[in-house]
Amino acid sequence: MAILVIAEHDEGVLKSGTLNTITAATQIGADVTVLVAGDGSAAVAAEAAKVAGVSRVLVADAPHYGKPTAENVAALVLSIAGNYGHVLAPATNFGKNFMPRVAARLDVAQISEISAVVSPDTFVRPIYAGNALATVQSKDAIKVITVRATAFEPAAAGGSAPVEALAAVADTGQSAVTGRNLTKSARPELAAARIIVSGGRGMGNGENFKLLEALADKLGAAVGASRAAVDAGFVPNDYQVGQTGKVVAPELYVAVGISGAIQHLAGMKDSKVIVAINKDAEAPIFQVADYGLVADLFQAVPELTAELG
């Protein structure tokens, strides 16, 4: 049963979510093809070819894939989708952008954010903000699936798949990327970080996030935030962890001044170890925390940072 994985990459580097998606694909079947669309993406294709479990890599190079739009990526996927029983992509902004279009054009029901593979046609996915798990079976000829990366281990290196060129589909011209406002940081990428320090409404303002940045630098961690902190303008939108932000599962998640709304818990409760610092002993975050400290964060965080120093 042939399976197609759409690779997410950036600036010549394969995104970690693609590796998790390949793992999910190998649990469905053995014949896994990775599609790399870009403008000068030979390095990414070579990297994908070295991933264990990959049988073949297809590369479509064209200028309009350099800044990909949902219309152009979907058109490329649709040009070869008939050769596959499954089409998979990471459940990131990348995958969420074009996969619904692919499903609609194929007239099939998309299966979103799977967290486990039961069989080639049956999958587990979270519902109700992660408070329940649904086991769903698809009878569609082509199954269009997005994968919750945190639920699968990343595929290891060790493959040697052949790389083949794929003819690009003409630019649809329906939309174009006119600019990007990207946050540059020396810290790890939030979605792939081993350690995350997150702040909530309790931080008070954006200036106070410097306390968390100092702690994160000591730990080699990424900095995240709750939706309340983002909506209040404390930090940029790409810091957001939660149901409507990034879903993360680091080895250590430090929640500072975060009450623990269900939408936030949906995005981080799979973290291996959760540490919560909050002055409210009744905060819901303590129900999922492995370690909890009831204290004033403005005293506790500097003391913790000093101890790490």
Side-chain angles (χ1 to χ4, degrees):
M1 182 178 297
I3 303 158
L4 180 65
V5 172
I6 318 302
E8 180 179 4
H9 60 93
D10 185 32
E11 298 179 356
V13 178
L14 198 65
K15 290 280 191 175
S16 59
T18 303
L19 301 178
N20 305 91
T21 304
I22 291 171
T23 296
T26 58
Q27 292 179 14
I28 296 171
D31 187 3
V32 178
T33 297
V34 175
L35 171 61
V36 177
D39 184 14
S41 50
V44 176
E47 186 179 355
K50 296 177 182 177
V51 178
V54 175
S55 303
R56 182 171 64 145
V57 177
L58 299 177
V59 186
D61 261 325
H64 54 279
Y65 297 138
K67 292 182 178 179
T69 62
E71 294 85 353
N72 283 333
V73 176
L76 178 64
V77 174
L78 288 165
S79 72
I80 60 172
N83 301 325
Y84 299 91
H86 299 75
V87 179
L88 278 66
T92 58
N93 290 339
F94 169 77
K96 291 175 182 179
N97 191 32
F98 71 89
M99 287 292 272
R101 178 177 288 268
V102 171
R105 293 286 299 276
L106 291 172
D107 195 24
V108 301
Q110 177 176 306
I111 306 172
S112 302
E113 298 207 30
I114 67 165
S115 57
V117 175
V118 178
S119 70
D121 67 353
T122 306
F123 310 90
V124 177
R125 62 178 299 267
I127 59 174
Y128 303 131
N131 282 312
L133 295 174
T135 301
V136 296
Q137 184 179 42
S138 171
K139 295 185 178 180
D140 290 322
I142 302 175
K143 295 160 183 59
V144 177
I145 300 167
T146 58
V147 176
R148 176 166 284 199
T150 56
F152 297 89
E153 291 296 322
S160 57
V163 178
E164 303 172 17
L166 176 68
V169 175
D171 188 350
T172 64
Q174 292 179 280
S175 65
V177 177
T178 58
R180 291 175 177 168
N181 293 320
L182 301 176
T183 301
K184 298 292 184 180
S185 175
R187 298 188 185 92
E189 182 188 0
L190 184 59
R194 291 176 53 253
I195 303 173
I196 296 174
V197 178
S198 276
R201 196 198 309 270
M203 296 304 299
N205 57 55
E207 187 68 20
N208 290 333
F209 263 78
K210 290 182 178 178
L211 295 175
L212 301 190
E213 291 170 358
L215 176 59
D217 289 342
K218 294 285 188 182
L219 293 170
V223 176
S226 68
R227 177 171 179 173
V230 171
D231 286 350
F234 296 171
V235 289
N237 206 259
D238 55 354
Y239 279 44
Q240 185 177 329
V241 172
Q243 185 178 11
T244 53
K246 291 183 173 67
V247 176
V248 300
E251 294 177 18
L252 172 63
Y253 189 88
V254 183
V256 182
I258 294 175
S259 62
I262 188 172
Q263 293 86 353
H264 185 77
L265 298 183
M268 47 66 72
K269 66 180 182 180
D270 290 331
S271 304
K272 307 301 183 292
V273 177
I274 300 172
V275 175
I277 301 174
N278 200 301
K279 66 180 179 181
D280 179 9
E282 302 301 318
I285 191 70
F286 288 120
Q287 296 175 16
V288 299
D290 297 285
Y291 301 93
L293 176 61
V294 179
D296 182 346
L297 70 89
F298 297 106
Q299 178 180 349
V301 172
E303 289 179 354
L304 176 58
T305 304
E307 283 293 322
L308 292 170

